[in-house]
Amino acid sequence: MLRKNIKQMVITCAALAALVITGCATGPKVRSDAAANTNFSSYKTFAFMPEPATDKAGYATLVTQHFKDAISAEMTALGYQYSETNADLLVNFNSNVETRTDVRSMPSATFNYGYYNYRRGYYAGFPLYTNDVDTIRYKYGTVNIDVIDAEKKQLVWEGISEGTLKKSDLEKPKQAISEVVSLIFQQYPTRQVVPQS
C-alpha cells in the first residue's frame, strides 16, 4: 500500500513537472486589433513617433534603437518605405518588464523515523503527507506596437505581446526584441498584400 502511494505521488509529480515545462515552452501570447474599414494597402510610407514611449529623460535608449531596427525590417518586408517627412503611418512602441511572484504548492511525503531517529533505516513510520510551498520570482514582459494614420491622427492597428522572459532574453535584448516584433507583425492585416512600388 505504501509503495503504491509513493508510486502514484511520483507519477503525479512527473506529470505536473511536464505541464510546467510545456507551459513555459509555449512562448508569449500575441494579440492584435485593427480599426474597422481601414484600407491598409493605401498606405505607402511610415516613420516613427518623434518620442517613442521607450525613450526616457529626453534621449534615445538602446531599447528604442533595437525596436526601430526590428520594426523597420518588418514594415519594409510588408512593402512600406521609410520616410522621415510626410509619412502615411507613424509607429509608436512601448515595453514594460515587471517582476512577478508565484506561490506554488506540491504534495509531498516524508517518512517518520521516530524521535531521535531510533528506527535508523530499518523501517519507517507512516508517511506524513504535506505540501511543499515554493515561491518563484520571474520577469514578465509586455510589448505594445501602435500604427497610427498620420493624417487623421488615429490608431489603425495595435499589436501586443505578453509573456515570461527567459534569462537569454535579458542577456540578449536585441535578439529578443527582434523575435517578439516578428511575432507581433505576423498578425498585421496586410502581411502579404501591400504592393511593392
Coordinates of all heavy atoms in Angstrom, one line a residue, residues 136-168:
I136 N 8.3 31.5 -6.5 CA 9.1 31.7 -7.7 C 8.9 33.1 -8.2 O 7.8 33.6 -8.3 CB 8.6 30.7 -8.8 CG1 8.7 29.2 -8.3 CG2 9.3 30.9 -10.1 CD1 8.0 28.2 -9.1
R137 N 10.0 33.7 -8.4 CA 10.0 35.1 -8.9 C 10.5 35.0 -10.3 O 11.5 34.4 -10.6 CB 10.9 36.0 -8.1 CG 10.3 36.3 -6.7 CD 11.2 37.2 -5.9 NE 10.6 37.5 -4.6 CZ 10.5 36.7 -3.6 NH1 11.1 35.5 -3.6 NH2 9.9 37.1 -2.4
Y138 N 9.9 35.8 -11.2 CA 10.3 35.8 -12.6 C 9.9 37.1 -13.3 O 9.2 37.9 -12.7 CB 9.5 34.7 -13.4 CG 8.0 34.8 -13.3 CD1 7.3 35.4 -14.4 CD2 7.3 34.2 -12.2 CE1 6.0 35.5 -14.3 CE2 5.9 34.3 -12.2 CZ 5.3 34.9 -13.2 OH 3.9 35.1 -13.2
K139 N 10.5 37.4 -14.4 CA 10.3 38.6 -15.2 C 9.2 38.4 -16.2 O 9.2 37.4 -16.9 CB 11.6 39.0 -15.9 CG 12.8 39.3 -15.0 CD 12.6 40.6 -14.2 CE 13.8 41.0 -13.4 NZ 13.6 42.2 -12.6
Y140 N 8.3 39.3 -16.2 CA 7.2 39.2 -17.2 C 7.2 40.5 -18.1 O 7.3 41.6 -17.5 CB 5.8 39.2 -16.4 CG 4.6 38.8 -17.3 CD1 4.4 37.5 -17.5 CD2 3.8 39.8 -17.8 CE1 3.3 37.1 -18.3 CE2 2.7 39.5 -18.5 CZ 2.4 38.1 -18.8 OH 1.4 37.8 -19.6
G141 N 7.2 40.3 -19.4 CA 7.3 41.4 -20.3 C 6.1 41.6 -21.1 O 5.4 40.7 -21.5
T142 N 5.8 42.9 -21.4 CA 4.7 43.3 -22.3 C 5.3 44.2 -23.4 O 6.1 45.1 -23.0 CB 3.6 44.0 -21.6 OG1 3.2 43.2 -20.5 CG2 2.4 44.3 -22.5
V143 N 4.9 44.0 -24.6 CA 5.4 44.9 -25.7 C 4.1 45.3 -26.5 O 3.3 44.5 -26.8 CB 6.3 44.2 -26.7 CG1 6.6 45.0 -27.9 CG2 7.6 43.8 -26.0
N144 N 4.0 46.6 -26.7 CA 2.9 47.2 -27.5 C 3.5 47.9 -28.7 O 4.5 48.6 -28.6 CB 2.1 48.3 -26.7 CG 1.3 47.7 -25.6 OD1 1.9 47.2 -24.6 ND2 0.0 47.8 -25.7
I145 N 2.9 47.7 -29.9 CA 3.2 48.4 -31.1 C 2.0 49.0 -31.6 O 1.0 48.3 -31.9 CB 3.9 47.5 -32.1 CG1 5.2 46.8 -31.6 CG2 4.2 48.3 -33.4 CD1 5.8 45.8 -32.5
D146 N 2.0 50.4 -31.8 CA 0.9 51.1 -32.3 C 1.2 51.6 -33.7 O 2.3 52.2 -33.9 CB 0.5 52.3 -31.5 CG 0.0 51.9 -30.1 OD1 -0.4 50.8 -29.9 OD2 0.0 52.8 -29.2
V147 N 0.3 51.5 -34.7 CA 0.4 52.0 -36.0 C -0.7 53.1 -36.2 O -1.9 52.7 -36.0 CB 0.4 50.9 -37.1 CG1 0.4 51.6 -38.5 CG2 1.5 49.9 -36.9
I148 N -0.3 54.3 -36.5 CA -1.2 55.4 -36.5 C -1.3 56.0 -37.9 O -0.3 56.2 -38.6 CB -0.7 56.5 -35.5 CG1 -0.6 55.9 -34.1 CG2 -1.6 57.8 -35.5 CD1 0.8 55.9 -33.5
D149 N -2.6 56.4 -38.3 CA -2.8 57.1 -39.5 C -2.3 58.5 -39.2 O -2.9 59.2 -38.4 CB -4.2 57.1 -39.9 CG -4.5 57.8 -41.2 OD1 -4.1 59.0 -41.3 OD2 -5.2 57.2 -42.1
A150 N -1.2 59.0 -39.9 CA -0.6 60.2 -39.6 C -1.5 61.4 -39.9 O -1.5 62.4 -39.1 CB 0.7 60.4 -40.3
E151 N -2.2 61.3 -40.9 CA -3.1 62.5 -41.3 C -4.3 62.6 -40.4 O -4.6 63.7 -39.9 CB -3.6 62.3 -42.8 CG -4.4 63.5 -43.3 CD -4.9 63.3 -44.7 OE1 -4.5 62.3 -45.4 OE2 -5.8 64.1 -45.1
K152 N -4.9 61.5 -40.1 CA -6.1 61.5 -39.2 C -5.7 61.5 -37.7 O -6.6 61.8 -36.8 CB -7.0 60.3 -39.4 CG -7.6 60.3 -40.8 CD -8.4 59.0 -41.0 CE -8.9 58.9 -42.4 NZ -9.6 57.6 -42.6
K153 N -4.5 61.2 -37.4 CA -4.0 61.1 -36.0 C -4.9 60.1 -35.3 O -5.4 60.3 -34.2 CB -4.0 62.4 -35.3 CG -3.0 63.4 -35.9 CD -2.9 64.6 -35.1 CE -1.9 65.7 -35.5 NZ -1.2 65.5 -36.7
Q154 N -5.0 58.9 -35.9 CA -5.9 57.9 -35.4 C -5.2 56.5 -35.4 O -4.6 56.2 -36.4 CB -7.2 57.8 -36.2 CG -8.2 56.7 -35.8 CD -9.4 56.7 -36.8 OE1 -9.6 57.6 -37.5 NE2 -10.1 55.6 -36.7
L155 N -5.3 55.8 -34.3 CA -4.8 54.4 -34.2 C -5.5 53.5 -35.2 O -6.7 53.4 -35.1 CB -4.9 53.9 -32.8 CG -4.3 52.5 -32.5 CD1 -2.8 52.6 -32.6 CD2 -4.8 52.1 -31.1
V156 N -4.8 52.9 -36.1 CA -5.4 51.9 -37.0 C -5.0 50.5 -36.7 O -5.7 49.6 -37.2 CB -5.0 52.3 -38.5 CG1 -5.7 53.6 -38.9 CG2 -3.6 52.3 -38.7
W157 N -3.9 50.2 -36.0 CA -3.6 48.8 -35.7 C -2.7 48.8 -34.4 O -1.9 49.7 -34.2 CB -2.8 48.2 -36.8 CG -2.5 46.7 -36.5 CD1 -3.3 45.7 -36.6 CD2 -1.2 46.2 -36.1 NE1 -2.7 44.5 -36.3 CE2 -1.4 44.8 -36.0 CE3 0.0 46.8 -35.9 CZ2 -0.3 44.0 -35.6 CZ3 1.1 45.9 -35.5 CH2 0.9 44.5 -35.4
E158 N -3.0 47.8 -33.6 CA -2.2 47.7 -32.3 C -1.9 46.2 -32.2 O -2.7 45.3 -32.4 CB -3.1 48.1 -31.1 CG -2.4 47.9 -29.8 CD -3.3 48.2 -28.6 OE1 -4.5 48.0 -28.8 OE2 -2.8 48.6 -27.6
G159 N -0.6 45.9 -31.9 CA -0.2 44.5 -31.7 C 0.4 44.5 -30.3 O 1.2 45.4 -29.9
I160 N 0.1 43.4 -29.5 CA 0.5 43.3 -28.1 C 1.1 41.9 -27.9 O 0.5 40.9 -28.4 CB -0.6 43.5 -27.2 CG1 -1.2 44.9 -27.4 CG2 -0.2 43.3 -25.7 CD1 -2.6 45.1 -26.7
S161 N 2.2 41.8 -27.2 CA 2.8 40.5 -26.8 C 3.0 40.5 -25.3 O 3.5 41.5 -24.8 CB 4.1 40.3 -27.5 OG 4.8 39.2 -27.0
E162 N 2.6 39.5 -24.7 CA 2.8 39.3 -23.2 C 3.4 37.9 -22.9 O 3.0 37.0 -23.5 CB 1.5 39.5 -22.5 CG 0.9 40.8 -22.6 CD -0.5 40.8 -21.9 OE1 -1.3 39.9 -22.2 OE2 -0.7 41.8 -21.1
G163 N 4.4 37.9 -22.0 CA 4.9 36.6 -21.7 C 6.1 36.7 -20.7 O 6.6 37.7 -20.4
T164 N 6.4 35.5 -20.2 CA 7.5 35.4 -19.3 C 8.9 35.5 -20.0 O 9.0 34.9 -21.1 CB 7.5 34.0 -18.5 OG1 6.2 33.9 -17.9 CG2 8.6 33.9 -17.5
L165 N 9.8 36.2 -19.5 CA 11.1 36.4 -20.1 C 12.1 35.4 -19.6 O 12.1 35.1 -18.4 CB 11.6 37.8 -19.8 CG 10.8 39.0 -20.3 CD1 11.4 40.3 -19.8 CD2 10.7 39.0 -21.8
K166 N 12.8 34.8 -20.6 CA 13.8 33.9 -20.2 C 15.1 34.6 -19.9 O 15.3 35.8 -20.2 CB 14.1 32.9 -21.4 CG 12.8 32.1 -21.9 CD 13.2 31.2 -23.0 CE 13.6 31.8 -24.3 NZ 12.5 32.5 -25.0
K167 N 16.0 33.9 -19.3 CA 17.3 34.6 -19.0 C 18.0 35.1 -20.2 O 18.6 36.1 -20.2 CB 18.2 33.5 -18.2 CG 19.5 34.1 -17.7 CD 20.3 33.1 -17.0 CE 21.7 33.7 -16.5 NZ 22.5 32.7 -15.9
S168 N 17.9 34.3 -21.3 CA 18.6 34.7 -22.6 C 18.0 36.0 -23.1 O 18.6 36.8 -23.8 CB 18.5 33.6 -23.6 OG 17.1 33.3 -23.9

